[in-house]
Amino acid sequence: LYRPSGTSGPVPGVLLGTGCSCVRDQGLDLFAARFAAAGYVALAFDYRHFGDSEGSPRQLARASRQRADYLGALGFVRSLPEVDPDRVALWGYSFGGGHVQQLAATEPGIAAAICVAPVVNLVKTLHLVGGLPLLGRLLVAGVRDASRAARGADPYMIPAVGPPGSRAVLSSPDSLPGIAAMTPPGSSWRNAVCARAIWGPPYLLERKVRGIRCPILYCIAEDDDVNPPALGRQAAASAPDGELRLYPGGHYELRNEAVSEQMAADQVEFLASRLARRL
């Protein structure tokens, strides 16, 4: 939890979640600190089953549970006496960006939203990363893990990231070096996920974003080789109150200080204009 200094009265809040297998220390703290310096209360959190959060089995990525974690954290932030509960924004990176879009379209009272290199259509994401061979490998691994879960056995894990052609969930050319650059020494991140995650309902948000009524900012990397940047641009145009910012580089630009600093500055400017105190 990051609190601003030198502020009086209730201030806006920002709630930050990350990619499906990522953890808080892979870039969220940098953005949370920038928001706090700009006068916001910012909460960066790990999903259940990951990082410093509890949950068994470890490394289980379920979109529905991760969205529930957003809502639980949202309730906590709104309960803080220094936070204006009507001015809390959601922030999400990659798969977290999918959560944010879904929640912004379905949950009342979200004041604003920010998506960084977000999932829009998970099927197209996996097709871009590895095509039909990847989908086939993931489906087979998912069956194996689901059968182990039914027997009460330990999960069947697969790598979260790996080189092209591997059995990892994300195996684009930039995935392995990108996540390595994002991960600080001593991080709680593990390169593993329960393979049953592939059987969850995929995000197909192209039409859903038309129902987003809060202001939403899409921060899209122009050379993203995980989530197709064209889908992010289309989502920004389809959302009734959408804004778009484009950045050089790929999916893992949270590792790039120059790009992440510009993103943070743009996001602070967006929130300042959208979360101004209503008189």
Side-chain angles (χ1 to χ4, degrees):
L1 183 66
Y2 290 76
R3 288 182 165 97
S5 59
T7 59
S8 60
V11 300
V14 186
L15 182 62
L16 297 92
T18 188
C20 74
S21 74
C22 293
V23 294
R24 187 184 70 245
D25 60 34
Q26 292 174 305
L28 294 196
D29 290 328
L30 171 102
F31 283 87
R34 284 295 304 271
F35 291 136
Y40 302 87
V41 170
L43 178 68
F45 72 97
D46 286 329
Y47 302 119
R48 70 184 79 183
H49 306 292
F50 292 92
D52 292 332
S53 288
E54 298 177 351
S56 179
R58 303 305 294 168
Q59 307 302 114
L60 175 60
R62 290 287 197 205
S64 59
R65 297 183 186 185
Q66 293 184 354
R67 289 196 304 270
D69 293 339
Y70 263 100
L71 294 178
L74 178 62
F76 168 73
V77 169
R78 283 174 168 166
S79 74
L80 296 174
E82 66 267 40
V83 172
D84 180 345
D86 295 324
R87 294 191 293 156
V88 178
L90 304 184
W91 186 106
Y93 167 65
S94 193
F95 201 50
H99 304 333
V100 164
Q101 292 169 87
Q102 177 74 20
L103 291 170
T106 58
E107 293 295 322
I110 305 299
I114 297 171
C115 299
V116 178
V119 165
V120 176
N121 183 311
L122 187 57
V123 174
K124 291 181 179 178
T125 285
L126 294 176
H127 190 269
L128 174 66
V129 169
L132 291 178
L134 173 62
L135 288 171
R137 291 193 296 271
L138 293 180
L139 290 172
V140 170
V143 170
R144 181 174 178 179
D145 187 36
S147 67
R148 292 179 65 86
R151 302 195 309 270
D154 291 337
Y156 177 67
M157 301 279 190
I158 57 176
V161 298
S166 69
R167 63 190 182 97
V169 177
L170 298 181
S171 55
S172 70
D174 196 30
S175 290
L176 196 59
I179 204 75
M182 281 176 55
T183 306
S187 172
S188 60
W189 181 75
R190 290 177 55 198
N191 189 12
V193 291
C194 296
R196 73 192 74 164
I198 190 63
W199 291 107
Y203 278 133
L204 306 171
L205 298 170
E206 290 96 331
R207 293 186 178 181
K208 179 76 74 172
V209 298
R210 299 173 188 172
I212 296 175
R213 298 305 170 195
C214 69
I216 183 167
L217 174 64
Y218 287 82
C219 297
I220 303 301
E222 294 181 287
D223 296 318
D224 194 329
D225 65 359
V226 174
N227 292 323
L231 293 182
R233 293 194 296 267
Q234 292 167 11
S238 297
D241 198 359
E243 294 187 25
L244 173 66
R245 300 288 186 278
L246 298 174
Y247 302 91
H251 187 72
Y252 300 93
E253 291 310 310
L254 296 189
R255 68 188 174 179
N256 184 320
E257 184 176 354
V259 174
S260 62
E261 285 292 332
Q262 185 59 56
M263 277 188 189
D266 291 344
Q267 292 166 14
V268 167
E269 180 183 17
F270 168 78
L271 293 177
S273 66
R274 298 313 193 108
L275 297 185
R277 184 181 298 277
R278 298 177 179 89
L279 300 178

